[in-house]
Amino acid sequence: MPWSKTQNIRGPAGPQGAAGPTTPSTDAGNLTRAGSDGLLYTPAGWLLTADVTLYVATTGSDTSGTGSATAPWATPHRAMAYLRGIVLADGIVVTISIADGAYSFPKALNLNHPQGTQIYINGTSTSGTRPTGALLNGGGVRGNSSTTEAFNDAKLKAYYRTQWQFNACDGLVCDLGGGVSVDQLLIRGDGTAYTDGVRSGGKDPARLQQNLFADKASAGSINLGQRVAVHNFGRLGIATSYGGSICAESVTVTNAKTDGIVTYFGGSIQAFLATVSNCGGDGIGTYFGGSINAMDATASNNLKNGIISGYGGSILAKGAITANNFQSGIIIRNGGTIFASGANSSSNGQNGIAISYGGTIDAHSVTVTNNRRNGIYVGYGGNVLAGAATAKGNTESSAKAEGAGFILLNSATYDGILSPSANTQGNGMAYIQTS
């Protein structure tokens, strides 16, 4: 039988669907996943058009609480879960007020929210003088150990009245949207292996192309206030990757089991005036295209290097202080860039400033003193531009270059040997220029 074309004919109405839920999901999961009710949606009725403050307290309840001042919730997880299904109108501010006290959490706090820049999580006011710099040095002992952890922990707990303990899990995470601000908090881990204190960023793009983790394609961001400390996590203190970003200006990171502040594969961190000490690896590091602003930061008493860039990473370390690290104070390995004008790198276990296998360090007017090996070292390619530098009291040499390394020391002050001798090619094709 031949077909005939028929248009604009409406059939009978289908059956009425089941009614959806009338309140936001209470599940604290990722924005990109369904809640415990199996749905993910934001009805127009959930548009917030006025500023609001939500309350969390150690005396609160996540089941019977309402988030009000008189009936607070017990965890910030519950507050973020409530906000997960709410759209914030432009200019609206949500404050999550955290009462003082010691909190204990079995899971990470997910800060994903499309209007995260309008959400502020604040602990109560702090007490006394904030411990930073040399005040957080593990008692002068390098690396992460029970002794250095206890020393720094006592200093931090005396200052922070609001303390979050994360047990066998990461601390704060964001891999989609974000921009939530957090301040006046001690974010503490229990040292469980492979846990990170604060982490943002998307997944590996190669895996995304295979449609794996497709719900994590967008990078996240977190804003840490100037009165935040991250302590005793089992892997990294603060970390970003794959386009993630974290603002960590003046933040303190202590006793991470590996690295304190690290970014890689395009992540970025603002760590101006940060303090990083007693980590089991490097203090501040960036790799594979990551970038960090560590201007005027302090990286000391770490078990490896104070500040390190590798494989194309870049660091602004102008005015930074790196002291008493077990290896080098400031170093590039396998390519990278560090701008360290005016930095001070002293009393490190190996070199004050170093490059191995390519890279460039702008070290104009740096001070490198009392390092156990060389003040400035370049091995097998790379350039250190250290005009007007001060290099004194270093055990092996003031400056040493090997392979095709180059060091510029014009107008510098030094009291040790130069290897090779000034303005003479040696140690392979290396050269130190003083005029």
Side-chain angles (χ1 to χ4, degrees), residues 199-283:
R199 174 170 47 82
S200 75
K203 295 292 184 179
D204 185 338
R207 302 181 78 180
L208 290 173
Q209 291 174 6
Q210 301 171 25
N211 294 320
L212 299 175
F213 301 101
D215 61 332
K216 304 290 185 70
S218 298
S221 63
I222 299 172
N223 294 320
L224 300 178
Q226 297 184 12
R227 289 165 293 180
V228 171
V230 181
H231 177 69
N232 197 41
F233 280 86
R235 191 176 67 151
L236 307 172
I238 297 175
T240 66
S241 61
Y242 299 110
S245 64
I246 293 176
C247 180
E249 181 178 330
S250 296
V251 165
T252 298
V253 180
T254 50
N255 294 93
K257 294 299 185 292
T258 56
D259 301 335
I261 295 177
V262 64
T263 182
Y264 50 95
F265 296 115
S268 64
I269 296 176
Q270 294 291 326
F272 173 69
L273 280 172
T275 294
V276 185
S277 66
N278 294 109
C279 295
D282 299 312

Side-chain angles (χ1 to χ4, degrees), residues 81-130:
Y82 172 78
L83 293 173
R84 188 185 65 128
I86 293 178
V87 174
L88 311 182
D90 288 347
I92 294 303
V93 172
V94 174
T95 301
I96 301 175
S97 177
I98 313 296
D100 62 356
Y103 298 75
S104 182
F105 308 130
K107 62 181 178 180
L109 175 60
N110 193 311
L111 299 180
N112 288 358
H113 195 283
Q115 288 93 39
T117 56
Q118 297 169 240
I119 300 173
Y120 296 82
I121 302 176
N122 294 325
T124 52
S125 59
T126 49
S127 175
T129 302
R130 184 167 72 101

